[in-house]
Amino acid sequence: IKKVEGVKYAGELSLMPDSAKYKDKLIAINYQDKDVNKMREYSDMIDGRFSENENEIVLSQSLVEENNLKLGDKIDIEFGNRVVDGEKIAATATFTNKEVFSSDHSQVYKLVGIYEDVYNKYSKVNYGLVEKNDINLGRTVVKFDSFEEAYENRATIQNKFSEVLGKNVNIIFDDGLINYYGLEDPLSQKIMRKGSMVVAVLGMIGLFIFFVKNIFQVWGLKKIRELSIYKSIGSTDFQIYKLLLKEAVLISILPILIGHIFGFAIFYKIYLDMQRAQAVNVKLLHPSLALSMIIILISLVIVLFAITAPAKKISKINIIDGIRGNIKFSNAKKKRSAKIWEELRINNLASIKSQRYISAVGIIIISVFIIVIDISTYYRDFAYFDDGYNITVDFYSKENKLPQVLDQISKDIPNKKSYISREKFVQVENNLDFSKEFKEKEIDKILKKKMKRYESETLEGFIVALNDKAFRDLGGKKGEFILYNKVQEDPYFPISKAKKITYFNNPSKIDIRLEDDSKTSLKISKNIYDLKDYDQGIMPFYVKIYTDFDTYFKFIKESASETYHNYPFKLKMKVREDEVENIKAYIETSIKDVVSPDEMFDITTSKEMKKAHKEDLETLKIIVMGFAFIILALNITNGYSSINLSLMSRKKEIGSLYSCGMDMDQLKTTYQKEFISEQVKSFILSIFVSLVVMSVISIFSPSLSLEIMLRYYNYWFFIIFSIAVYAINISIYHFSLKRILSRPTIDLIRTI
């Protein structure tokens, strides 16, 4: 396989782990070769590395911590078989008190890596990983130089693989990567994604040029006398221009290097916060010299572009004007007006407007980041549904009967409400008559577009088995199938808040397809429109058909679907909040007493689910807060520069008005009102641009309507950030103006 062009690595993973023990702890020993080690370099490794020979091992974090092990320790691992009633069981089977471990040999390993806990914690099986290059039964995995190119040419690559191996093979491309790269998205969406990346990069470069330009212009004007003297002794405009460029680059190198190092420190801090927020461990990427050089080079290019325009303007200032301080960047003729303040405003409009746009830029950037977070929050919330139960038990079993232990637990534990269910996925033939309300709201057109996009001819559905009491509460009788005949009015609205309308026009029969593509029909005895306490949240357009457990198992047997056991029995309970942890421990003990090796269970509390739901966006929020801090700092420095640049160009105007007898307080009040007016306009502009951005996104993304984006927008963060920016800008303007007004009038008129 490695001989095929485009293949970077080709390795092998074990399919069946070996049973092993360390002291009294069970371990499922897995195997992978060197190429897989390279492919999984940035996996769930917490510390250390993968094994590089057959005498090294990687173990689960919990096993390492429980036994106070550390990297480099030599440990003796026993290999053998796990046996229950004389029969060998799988290495990953759930531990029970009935099993015996039959040891046949042991081997000493050096602990070289600590891995995330992989197996279900209730199975009492730990993870072990050893390098082995002669895996008897394994799965071949391949990494291509370019996943996108390989997927595009998958037919050709499959033929080449078959050719070099001498037999027909089937390549399965990872669904997660297909979705990540958007390889099955429409062409317009692909162009949009690539275009948005280019625009984002160029936009960030343009943004920093915009921020840095004013700072350099003020810096250059502070040197105007010195530069004018150089010109008076023969220096050309081009020499002055080169001098400014050279000095700007030299004084920027040290801050760029410091900033780069500081950036890595911030990155590391964000990395640590990510781990705390998400409770996961991610291998930290090491600094890249090549990447650092590219970033520093881009930073210097930004400086060069930022200084170019101010340097050209400053180099062309007349010698006498430069020495005297008559700074004029424009030769435009002055305009007249009957009102003096209107005339001053018209002739200084460029300087005045700059205050508006400079303040708005930072606010708009943060607003865009808020929109990004809001979109992520929407997608996180879309499928989240709090059903009011605070304990959920998932019990996986191959037996086609209701586990008695779940029924017994629900009876033994005092609870406010509880029920047991099990779902089975089916495909529903799209031959049902939609309700009048469904058609009037044109939801059928949305459904048609969705099915066309995913190249589907059927609706997604579930047959749901309920315990007898729950099924009776919904109005069902033994042996019946009843249809929940409701659907979301807006399929893009979060399911927990969506309004429901009637789905179908009272169907009496539903045709379905099973996993093996066989077809069957279900007689619908009743349509229901309220799930009462048994609603687990239904995704848009899903079809839910309910029945009792006996009928469910009969259907499974008759349809020959008993080989598909991916769906757990689910016990949901509502108990007193202060009893949740005790009841959880009781449930664990009760199930352990009866669980068989080929069964598995998991217990989740609502507190754990809410925590996971809440922490899902913590990383993104941390990053945005970091950007907000940087933008705020840039706004302060750029605001200071632009405000002082504006006031420097109006010093003579201020001095002249003061010399004509205008009151100082009146001058201060008038200029500050003018500045505050521009800040208000800036705020309005920021709101307008934010609405435009949201509108554009809603046009190109059908799932993100303007209503949803407005509902999820974080107004408080936007307002607080805006107040911070404008308060700082007004303070800078106030003290800068005060400093100018405190100088003698003659200095304002004659000097810069």
Side-chain angles (χ1 to χ4, degrees):
I1 290 176
K2 291 181 185 178
K3 295 176 183 177
V4 176
E5 186 180 353
V7 173
K8 188 172 184 179
Y9 301 119
E12 197 170 16
L13 293 163
S14 60
L15 284 176
M16 300 294 292
D18 288 340
S19 295
K21 278 184 76 173
Y22 175 68
K23 295 183 178 179
D24 60 340
K25 303 296 182 182
L26 289 171
I27 308 173
I29 302 290
N30 297 267
Y31 302 95
Q32 66 185 38
D33 61 20
K34 285 184 170 62
D35 273 30
V36 180
N37 285 351
K38 293 172 185 175
M39 291 184 217
R40 300 179 66 190
E41 182 181 3
Y42 303 115
S43 60
D44 294 327
M45 187 74 75
I46 295 168
D47 198 7
R49 57 173 173 80
F50 286 116
S51 55
E52 295 175 352
N53 57 63
E54 295 186 10
N55 298 316
E56 296 179 338
I57 194 168
V58 174
L59 292 174
S60 292
Q61 181 184 16
S62 58
L63 180 65
V64 171
E65 290 177 350
E66 285 174 16
N67 292 276
N68 296 316
L69 299 173
K70 59 182 183 297
L71 295 178
D73 284 354
K74 296 290 182 70
I75 55 176
D76 192 5
I77 303 289
E78 284 185 78
F79 285 82
N81 295 315
R82 296 172 60 189
V83 180
V84 175
D85 297 332
E87 291 188 13
K88 178 182 171 182
I89 63 172
T92 55
T94 300
F95 171 77
T96 67
N97 294 327
K98 298 176 183 178
E99 80 169 61
V100 176
F101 188 84
S102 175
S103 177
D104 54 30
H105 75 280
S106 65
Q107 184 171 338
V108 175
Y109 288 96
K110 179 182 177 182
L111 179 63
V112 295
I114 302 171
Y115 209 71
E116 271 284 295
D117 291 331
V118 174
Y119 298 113
N120 181 294
K121 65 180 178 179
Y122 297 108
S123 68
K124 299 298 181 184
V125 179
N126 296 282
Y127 179 77
L129 181 63
V130 175
E131 183 188 81
K132 194 173 183 181
N133 293 316
D134 58 343
I135 302 169
N136 295 327
L137 181 61
R139 176 185 287 113
T140 303
V141 289
V142 178
K143 181 174 182 179
F144 297 99
D145 292 324
S146 169
F147 183 84
E148 294 166 280
E149 287 181 17
Y151 187 76
E152 190 176 339
N153 302 308
R154 54 191 179 277
T156 304
I157 289 174
Q158 184 152 311
N159 289 335
K160 286 182 179 178
F161 278 17
S162 299
E163 185 181 327
V164 298
L165 294 172
K167 61 179 179 179
N168 290 328
V169 295
N170 183 35
I171 303 175
I172 302 171
F173 285 82
D174 185 82
D175 288 335
L177 288 174
I178 292 171
N179 294 330
Y180 175 78
Y181 288 110
L183 300 179
E184 293 185 351
D185 291 344
L187 181 61
S188 58
Q189 204 166 328
K190 291 179 182 178
I191 293 171
M192 223 178 119
R193 185 170 55 252
K194 296 284 186 185
S196 63
M197 287 176 65
V198 173
V199 169
V201 172
L202 295 178
M204 289 301 289
I205 292 173
L207 170 69
F208 282 102
I209 290 172
F210 173 80
F211 275 130
V212 175
K213 184 182 72 173
N214 283 328
I215 298 170
F216 275 122
Q217 190 153 314
V218 173
W219 166 77
L221 288 175
K222 292 287 186 182
K223 297 168 67 68
I224 195 65
R225 278 185 170 179
E226 177 189 337
L227 297 172
S228 296
I229 291 170
Y230 289 156
K231 290 180 74 172
S232 70
I233 59 175
S235 295
T236 64
D237 288 352
F238 186 64
Q239 286 174 324
I240 297 296
Y241 171 66
K242 284 199 300 182
L243 178 66
L244 283 169
L245 284 179
K246 182 181 177 182
E247 284 196 35
V249 171
L250 287 174
I251 65 174
S252 300
I253 288 175
L254 185 60
I256 286 172
L257 291 174
I258 293 171
H260 191 61
I261 295 167
F262 187 58
F264 271 116
I266 292 175
F267 171 77
Y268 188 71
K269 175 68 169 63
I270 290 174
Y271 155 75
L272 292 176
D273 288 340
M274 282 169 59
Q275 294 199 105
R276 294 191 194 100
Q278 295 190 349
V280 296
N281 289 275
V282 185
K283 187 175 178 68
L284 181 62
L285 297 174
H286 296 290
S288 164
L289 181 61
L291 184 60
S292 293
M293 294 304 295
I294 291 170
I295 292 170
I296 291 169
L297 181 63
I298 291 173
S299 301
L300 289 172
V301 168
I302 288 172
V303 170
L304 281 172
F305 275 112
I307 191 60
T308 297
K312 279 183 179 178
K313 289 180 180 180
I314 292 168
S315 66
K316 292 178 180 178
I317 291 174
N318 183 277
I319 296 172
I320 302 301
D321 287 340
I323 294 172
R324 287 181 175 177
N326 295 326
I327 310 302
K328 291 193 300 180
F329 287 135
S330 174
N331 294 319
K333 291 183 179 180
K334 298 291 183 182
K335 297 177 182 178
R336 298 283 183 182
S337 176
K339 297 178 181 178
I340 184 171
W341 288 110
E342 185 62 30
E343 183 175 319
L344 291 173
R345 176 177 173 77
I346 292 170
N347 290 312
N348 289 285
L349 198 57
S351 172
I352 294 168
K353 275 187 175 181
S354 68
Q355 309 304 311
R356 182 192 311 171
Y357 300 125
I358 286 166
S359 299
V361 168
I363 305 296
I364 291 167
I365 292 167
I366 290 302
S367 183
V368 170
F369 278 121
I370 292 172
I371 291 170
V372 170
I373 289 181
D374 295 338
I375 291 172
S376 301
T377 304
Y378 161 74
Y379 283 121
R380 180 200 64 178
D381 287 352
F382 182 79
Y384 180 74
F385 187 84
D386 185 356
D387 56 13
Y389 294 86
N390 51 14
I391 288 184
T392 301
V393 182
D394 290 316
F395 191 92
Y396 295 84
S397 173
K398 294 181 181 179
E399 295 292 325
N400 278 331
K401 62 181 181 181
L402 178 63
Q404 288 189 358
V405 64
L406 297 185
D407 192 36
Q408 195 62 45
I409 288 170
S410 65
K411 291 175 181 176
D412 290 347
I413 297 175
N415 61 78
K416 296 178 182 177
K417 55 182 180 178
S418 69
Y419 72 100
I420 305 169
S421 66
R422 191 188 195 190
E423 295 184 340
K424 177 179 177 56
F425 176 78
V426 292
Q427 293 174 298
V428 177
E429 296 288 351
N430 187 25
N431 57 4
L432 298 167
D433 183 24
F434 296 116
S435 71
K436 182 181 178 182
E437 191 178 9
F438 189 89
K439 293 175 182 176
E440 284 176 351
K441 295 186 179 294
E442 298 186 338
I443 307 175
D444 56 328
K445 294 180 180 178
I446 299 174
L447 175 59
K448 190 176 180 180
K449 286 180 182 178
K450 181 189 174 190
M451 294 178 72
K452 185 178 179 181
R453 180 182 177 189
Y454 292 102
E455 299 178 352
S456 173
E457 298 177 353
T458 58
L459 302 172
E460 294 175 297
F462 286 91
I463 296 177
V464 185
L466 293 174
N467 61 290
D468 292 347
K469 180 183 178 303
F471 190 55
R472 284 197 306 271
D473 286 349
L474 291 183
K477 297 177 183 177
K478 279 272 188 181
E480 291 183 343
F481 289 96
I482 60 177
L483 171 69
Y484 176 62
N485 196 7
K486 284 278 189 174
V487 70
Q488 284 190 200
E489 182 182 43
D490 181 354
Y492 302 118
F493 213 74
I495 62 171
S496 61
K497 304 169 185 175
K499 182 182 176 184
K500 301 285 185 73
I501 60 171
T502 304
Y503 200 168
F504 304 110
N505 189 20
N506 293 322
S508 58
K509 183 187 75 168
I510 291 181
D511 300 322
I512 62 172
R513 285 188 207 173
L514 301 171
E515 294 92 338
D516 59 358
D517 258 358
S518 61
K519 298 180 181 180
T520 187
S521 295
L522 297 178
K523 181 183 176 182
I524 301 301
S525 303
K526 187 177 184 180
N527 285 249
I528 59 171
Y529 302 91
D530 183 8
L531 290 175
K532 300 182 179 179
D533 289 331
Y534 312 110
D535 188 359
Q536 295 183 21
I538 301 175
M539 296 295 285
F541 301 122
Y542 275 22
V543 180
K544 287 252 184 170
I545 303 164
Y546 291 83
T547 189
D548 61 276
F549 269 108
D550 290 340
T551 308
Y552 174 85
F553 292 130
K554 183 181 177 183
F555 166 77
I556 293 291
K557 186 176 181 180
E558 290 177 352
S559 60
S561 294
E562 63 267 18
T563 54
Y564 300 96
H565 300 285
N566 296 326
Y567 309 102
F569 292 91
K570 196 178 288 285
L571 166 63
K572 283 185 166 286
M573 303 180 69
K574 172 69 174 177
V575 300
R576 283 174 46 184
E577 284 296 332
D578 59 343
E579 293 284 340
V580 168
E581 292 304 320
N582 290 335
I583 290 173
K584 181 181 177 182
Y586 173 79
I587 292 173
E588 181 180 350
T589 303
S590 300
I591 296 178
K592 278 181 180 178
D593 289 340
V594 298
V595 69
S596 64
D598 60 351
E599 294 174 331
M600 189 180 294
F601 68 98
D602 197 9
I603 308 169
T604 313
T605 66
S606 61
K607 188 177 180 181
E608 291 168 344
M609 288 187 285
K610 287 175 182 176
K611 184 181 178 184
H613 176 71
K614 181 181 177 182
E615 290 176 347
D616 207 22
L617 280 174
E618 289 303 310
T619 301
L620 183 58
K621 288 180 180 178
I622 289 167
I623 292 170
V624 170
M625 288 298 290
F627 270 109
F629 176 78
I630 293 169
I631 296 299
L632 183 61
L634 287 171
N635 252 305
I636 293 169
T637 55
N638 200 45
Y640 180 84
S641 302
S642 61
I643 287 167
N644 279 278
L645 184 62
S646 175
L647 290 174
M648 282 170 67
S649 66
R650 301 183 73 177
K651 276 183 180 180
K652 281 193 173 185
E653 172 191 308
I654 295 168
S656 299
L657 291 170
Y658 188 49
S659 66
C660 292
M662 188 166 285
D663 181 65
M664 185 182 290
D665 290 335
Q666 186 183 352
L667 272 174
K668 190 187 297 183
T669 302
T670 304
Y671 277 99
Q672 286 185 160
K673 276 185 179 179
E674 183 183 71
F675 181 78
I676 291 170
S677 171
E678 290 305 316
Q679 299 301 288
V680 171
K681 291 175 183 176
S682 167
F683 184 63
I684 294 169
L685 176 65
S686 303
I687 294 172
F688 175 75
V689 173
S690 299
L691 287 171
V692 169
V693 171
M694 285 190 269
S695 300
V696 170
I697 292 172
S698 65
I699 290 169
F700 287 98
S701 176
S703 62
L704 292 166
S705 67
L706 186 59
E707 179 190 353
I708 287 172
M709 298 187 77
L710 289 171
R711 180 187 289 266
Y712 275 84
Y713 192 81
N714 192 333
Y715 297 98
W716 280 113
F717 187 81
F718 176 77
I719 291 168
I720 290 169
F721 186 83
S722 300
I723 289 172
V725 169
Y726 293 126
I728 290 168
N729 285 347
I730 290 169
S731 298
I732 291 170
Y733 192 87
H734 171 77
F735 289 109
S736 298
L737 182 62
K738 185 178 179 181
R739 188 172 62 251
I740 290 172
L741 291 172
S742 65
R743 295 178 65 180
T745 309
I746 195 69
D747 287 348
L748 296 177
I749 297 172
R750 286 186 176 178
T751 63
I752 58 173

